[in-house]
Amino acid sequence: MKKNSLVFLAGVVIVLALGFLMPWLLKNPFYFFAGYVVLQYVTIATGWNILGGYAGYINFGAAGFFGAGVYLSAFLFTTFGLPLPLCILAAAIVGAILGVLMGYLTLRIQGVYFAIATLGLVVVLETIVHNISGLGGASGMAVYGPRPPAWSPGPSQYNFTVMVVIAVASVALARWVEISWIGRGLRAVRASEDAAECSGVPTLRLKLVACALSGAVLAAAGAPYPFYTSFVEPVTAFSLIIGLNAIAMPLIGGTRTWVGPVIGALLLASVQQIATVTISSELNILFVGAVLIAFVAFAPGGISDLFGRNKGRARP
């Protein structure tokens, strides 16, 4: 096993250990409410980057996959009593299917046309939920989760630990994609799709794989949300801020590696949580927009690319 893989594996073990130990070390539940949101955005940013970063297909439909995971999980629990792990697995499978369907219908177009087409997915899914009374319609639905297992001291701590596992799994998946033949093919697509096609790269197949993996991760990120809030409604589940953050965080952190979305999500989501408590939650979208404009203007490659260039310049 290579040194980088060993370091990554050690980091995974440490993060998972902290995820299970912190609920017993910290007594204030607010840390876990805020930490859940930060980790949720780590997962969302990582999932978006598999298609939007590696392949270069800007996807405005992240909120659609997230909302699908939210409502599927809420429906499966309230109707059939499925436990949260099975709800997450079902959401990931449905998200992958939605990703393939969306990709098959839209990947033949590129650029702004593809972005607009993916935005339509959010509108369609939200409209469907609005008109299904079994999902609560526009009024939403209450979700009263079960008691947390014995190894977790409370509901907020349990949701936090679950999101730690999902975030770690999504980052591990993104790293595997990046270093595998899939990642090499997607980078070729991003550089020049026509040239990649002429070189024998199965571009459509790779893009469908990226859509499936991205959709699965985004939907899995939404699955624990009903248990976190105990109530879901369409406007929040398919929120504009989710789609905006899904794009902004990888762009701020850097889209070329798995590290970039993690850095961007940790930075931006943490600042958003602090701003929500100290200033106002209404300023989140304005703050995200301002930070995104600043990075596009002064560091278009993101934080990871900026540090990489500086490190290269420092070498003799």
Side-chain angles (χ1 to χ4, degrees):
M1 187 178 292
K2 294 182 179 180
K3 180 180 179 180
N4 289 342
S5 297
L6 288 174
V7 172
F8 180 81
L9 183 60
V12 166
V13 172
I14 292 172
V15 171
L16 288 175
L18 289 175
F20 281 89
L21 289 176
M22 283 179 62
W24 297 100
L25 300 176
L26 300 176
K27 301 302 180 182
N28 190 343
F30 171 76
Y31 293 122
F32 302 102
F33 278 103
Y36 175 94
V37 176
V38 174
L39 291 169
Q40 172 187 279
Y41 277 119
V42 168
T43 307
I44 291 173
T46 298
W48 181 93
N49 199 58
I50 293 175
L51 178 64
Y54 294 162
Y57 274 74
I58 303 301
N59 175 17
F60 284 168
F65 293 99
F66 179 86
V70 169
Y71 270 94
L72 179 65
S73 177
F75 173 77
L76 292 176
F77 175 75
T78 55
T79 305
F80 302 105
L82 261 64
L84 179 54
L86 289 182
C87 291
I88 295 171
L89 178 61
I93 293 172
V94 171
I97 295 172
L98 276 176
V100 171
L101 292 175
M102 181 200 73
Y104 187 78
L105 294 173
T106 60
L107 283 173
R108 289 175 174 81
I109 56 178
Q110 300 179 8
V112 66
Y113 303 105
F114 173 81
I116 293 173
T118 58
L119 184 61
L121 175 69
V122 183
V123 177
V124 169
L125 291 177
E126 185 175 357
T127 303
I128 291 174
V129 171
H130 267 286
N131 290 279
I132 297 179
S133 58
L135 297 178
S139 301
M141 60 187 300
V143 181
Y144 302 105
R147 294 176 60 87
W151 52 263
S152 182
S156 60
Q157 291 88 340
Y158 174 60
N159 292 327
F160 170 81
T161 303
V162 169
M163 189 51 70
V164 168
V165 175
I166 295 175
V168 168
S170 66
V171 172
L173 175 64
R175 183 180 182 273
W176 173 79
V177 170
E178 180 182 329
I179 64 178
S180 69
W181 65 272
I182 298 176
R184 292 191 294 271
L186 292 175
R187 287 192 292 273
V189 170
R190 175 173 178 164
S192 174
E193 189 164 342
D194 292 336
E197 188 74 36
C198 293
S199 301
V201 177
T203 56
L204 179 60
R205 190 186 310 169
L206 284 175
K207 291 186 293 184
L208 288 175
V209 170
C211 284
L213 295 177
S214 178
V217 172
L218 291 170
Y225 185 79
F227 302 86
Y228 170 74
T229 61
S230 299
F231 182 81
V232 295
E233 50 90 22
V235 174
T236 303
F238 299 95
S239 172
L240 170 65
I241 191 64
I242 295 174
L244 180 60
N245 278 325
I247 298 172
M249 290 172 178
L251 292 179
I252 290 171
T255 59
R256 298 184 182 276
T257 68
W258 62 269
V259 180
V262 176
I263 295 174
L266 290 175
L267 175 64
L268 195 56
S270 298
V271 173
Q272 285 180 337
Q273 289 302 299
I274 296 172
T276 298
V277 174
T278 58
I279 306 175
S280 169
S281 61
E282 301 299 327
L283 294 178
N284 276 348
I285 295 180
L286 176 62
F287 175 77
V288 172
V291 173
L292 182 57
I293 291 172
F295 270 89
V296 169
F298 300 106
I303 295 175
S304 59
D305 187 63
L306 184 64
F307 276 98
R309 290 203 309 268
N310 291 338
K311 184 178 180 181
R313 290 172 183 172
R315 292 175 181 174

